[in-house]
């Protein structure tokens, strides 16, 4: 059973904002990273942002830095991705994932394509469409 449930996608206009949520069920480990990744039609999976479970350390792809904010509500066991100043290039299906290591860094350093199977768990995905 996948311990992640996403919500919050939708269709917006350029410049608008959206917030994605990822509710996390109890996990059998305490140290992990929650990452948001996205995939546009015909394109490879792209890492967007991550947050650590212990220190809440955050990481962002250059393409979203300054526009997206990842955060955690520890009491609610939920991770959020606040997306501001959305652009048409942000149109994609967004997935919440969990890994025990900084999986995205490994794949980027090795210049390997990222897949959902690169992560321990992944949610069903939510569609974000940015269009005028």
């Amino acid at each position: 059973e996948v311990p992640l449930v996403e919500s919050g996608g939708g269709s917006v206009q350029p410049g608008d904002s959206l917030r994605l949520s990822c509710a996390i069920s109890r996990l059998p480990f305490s140290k992990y990273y929650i990452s948001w990744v996205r995939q546009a039609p015909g394109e490879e999976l792209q890492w967007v942002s991550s947050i650590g479970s212990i220190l809440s350390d955050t990481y962002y792809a250059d393409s979203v830095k300054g526009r997206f904010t990842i955060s955690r509500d520890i009491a609610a066991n939920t991770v959020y991705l606040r997306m501001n100043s959305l652009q048409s290039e942000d149109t994609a299906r967004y997935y919440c994932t969990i890994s025990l290591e900084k999986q995205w860094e490994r794949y980027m350093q090795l210049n390997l394509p990222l897949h959902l199977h690169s992560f321990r768990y992944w949610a069903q995905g939510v569609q974000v469409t940015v269009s005028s």
Side-chain angles (χ1 to χ4, degrees):
E1 184 179 346
V2 177
L4 305 169
V5 177
E6 289 186 26
S7 59
S11 294
V12 296
Q13 294 188 335
D16 285 351
S17 299
L18 271 178
R19 189 181 77 164
L20 306 182
S21 301
C22 178
I24 305 168
S25 300
R26 192 174 182 85
L27 297 171
F29 35 80
S30 58
K31 183 185 176 185
Y32 52 92
Y33 294 89
I34 307 100
S35 298
W36 290 94
V37 297
R38 65 187 182 186
Q39 188 164 31
E43 297 193 13
E44 290 185 348
L45 196 70
Q46 180 187 31
W47 170 71
V48 175
S49 182
S50 301
I51 188 166
S53 67
I54 302 295
L55 300 176
S56 293
D57 40 324
T58 59
Y59 309 85
Y60 296 95
D62 288 343
S63 58
V64 306
K65 205 172 288 183
R67 299 188 298 123
F68 290 12
T69 303
I70 191 169
S71 61
R72 291 174 68 201
D73 182 332
I74 296 174
N77 222 14
T78 299
V79 170
Y80 303 100
L81 184 69
R82 176 70 180 183
M83 305 184 293
N84 294 331
S85 302
L86 282 162
Q87 306 165 358
S88 56
E89 305 87 82
D90 298 316
T91 294
R93 191 163 186 86
Y94 285 69
Y95 298 88
C96 172
T97 69
I98 285 182
S99 59
L100 300 184
E101 307 289 341
K102 294 178 184 177
Q103 213 69 342
W104 69 95
E105 277 191 0
R106 254 182 88 200
Y107 277 72
M108 286 167 66
Q109 286 167 358
L110 296 173
N111 200 25
L112 293 174
L114 204 56
H115 300 280
L116 288 176
H117 291 276
S118 308
F119 300 91
R120 183 75 173 257
Y121 300 111
W122 58 92
Q124 77 281 8
V126 291
Q127 181 65 34
V128 171
T129 301
V130 185
S131 172
S132 56

